[in-house]
Amino acid sequence: MNSPQKLVSDFGLNTRVRLSGLGAAPHGRISKIGRSYARAMLVEPVLAATKAPGPLHAFGTAGSGRGGRS
């Protein structure tokens, strides 16, 4: 891997950027264009850690009742 941007791109974790005009570019959702199995290997341990009791459980459930996108 040559750069951190390349690594993020390979996993499909880079955000989509839509730029029109001279203003600041808004960043959207992750692109999910990349290796899906590698992304799944990163997500599985995170989901397991947020379901187990401890500080990560509190962090994982903190935004679940806010509404909006999930």
Side-chain angles (χ1 to χ4, degrees):
M1 304 284 163
N2 295 340
S3 67
Q5 291 84 7
K6 174 82 170 119
L7 178 64
V8 168
S9 178
D10 283 345
F11 282 104
L13 298 174
N14 50 335
T15 58
R16 292 182 182 210
V17 179
R18 285 176 264 134
L19 178 62
S20 176
L22 301 175
H27 294 272
R29 298 179 179 188
I30 63 172
S31 66
K32 295 185 183 177
I33 298 171
R35 298 182 178 129
S36 61
Y37 64 88
R39 197 167 44 253
M41 287 178 17
L42 290 174
V43 170
E44 285 297 321
V46 172
L47 292 176
T50 57
K51 290 180 182 177
L56 290 177
H57 176 74
F59 180 76
T61 58
S64 63
R66 280 197 299 233
R69 287 188 273 192
S70 58

